[in-house]
Amino acid sequence: MNNTAQRIEGTSGLPGPTGDARDFIAVDDSGDFSYHRSEQDLVSAFEYVGEAACIIDRSGRAYRLALDSNRHLVLGPLRGPVEFHWLRQAWLDAQNAHPERHRLRRFFPLTRDEVVSDLFETLVLEHGPEPAGGSWTMDVSGVASQPTDLEDIDRWLGHEELPEHVHVKDPFGHVYRPLRHRRHWYLPAAAGFNLYIEVPAPPN
């Protein structure tokens, strides 16, 4: 069984895995998304075949889990390109259902390549390894800093009122405005968490 899928150049701004290593995104049976840096990590994250509703590689091709002859979970055969409209809607649903896990909110993707690229970039920035070749930057009223990651940005912004003029740029050049999200309407804003809403890049 040949599971090899060729990467479409330009699908993602992330550096692709080298050699036989591939990374994946999985949509589980609850509709949530997760990033897996290798096939081994992917398979070990699930317990039964139907637990992963869809698995996507960087080329935008879809897979499911399967059982080998010893009834061990393995990555199943290629099923073809992932369906664009389903994928985009599933990602929007996951962001709404799990806002604390998916806090980077980019502009609405218009093509299958855009949604696959955004998924890999966003999930790596939220939950994966630190991307190579770039760094975060934060500008607060004209004063720039270079935080390490989203958690570092959250610590800097704290739980008080957000500064009025804040822009955060991720390692891939997307610019965001922090927005405090309340956990419940009756709790104070300080008890919430930050979403990062993409905005047009400010003029230089």
Side-chain angles (χ1 to χ4, degrees), residues 93-109:
D93 291 344
Q95 289 177 313
N96 290 330
H98 308 281
E100 195 166 1
R101 276 183 48 79
H102 305 301
R103 299 189 296 126
L104 293 176
R105 305 302 177 90
R106 289 187 174 180
F107 294 136
F108 199 58

Side-chain angles (χ1 to χ4, degrees), residues 103-121:
R103 299 189 296 126
L104 293 176
R105 305 302 177 90
R106 289 187 174 180
F107 294 136
F108 199 58
L110 299 178
T111 67
R112 185 174 66 93
D113 284 354
E114 284 181 8
V115 71
V116 171
S117 174
D118 276 0
L119 278 169
F120 271 94
E121 291 183 2

Side-chain angles (χ1 to χ4, degrees), residues 37-199:
R37 67 180 69 194
S38 70
E39 185 172 328
Q40 180 180 359
D41 287 351
L42 167 73
V43 172
S44 65
F46 295 96
E47 297 181 355
Y48 54 91
V49 168
E51 190 177 7
C54 184
I55 296 165
I56 307 159
D57 67 14
R58 286 176 178 269
S59 70
R61 295 174 182 178
Y63 304 81
R64 295 289 294 272
L65 293 174
L67 295 175
D68 65 13
S69 58
N70 296 315
R71 301 197 62 77
H72 295 146
L73 279 179
V74 295
L75 182 65
L78 176 67
R79 298 171 64 89
V82 65
E83 206 284 313
F84 161 62
H85 296 289
W86 171 84
L87 181 63
R88 185 170 65 172
Q89 187 60 52
W91 178 228
L92 289 174
D93 291 344
Q95 289 177 313
N96 290 330
H98 308 281
E100 195 166 1
R101 276 183 48 79
H102 305 301
R103 299 189 296 126
L104 293 176
R105 305 302 177 90
R106 289 187 174 180
F107 294 136
F108 199 58
L110 299 178
T111 67
R112 185 174 66 93
D113 284 354
E114 284 181 8
V115 71
V116 171
S117 174
D118 276 0
L119 278 169
F120 271 94
E121 291 183 2
T122 300
L123 289 171
V124 165
L125 290 171
E126 290 177 338
H127 307 292
E130 196 64 28
S135 61
W136 292 89
T137 59
M138 182 167 61
D139 186 290
V140 181
S141 300
V143 178
S145 60
Q146 288 193 311
T148 304
D149 51 27
L150 271 180
E151 286 68 28
D152 195 20
I153 295 168
D154 287 334
R155 283 190 294 270
W156 195 96
L157 293 175
H159 294 287
E160 305 305 322
E161 192 72 24
L162 289 173
E164 184 176 353
H165 300 290
V166 182
H167 287 102
V168 173
K169 182 186 289 187
D170 72 24
F172 304 106
H174 295 262
V175 178
Y176 309 87
R177 174 79 170 90
L179 175 69
R180 188 64 46 77
H181 181 87
R182 293 175 183 267
R183 296 179 189 275
H184 296 286
W185 65 267
Y186 53 81
L187 292 176
F193 55 90
N194 295 329
L195 296 178
Y196 295 88
I197 312 301
E198 186 170 12
V199 297

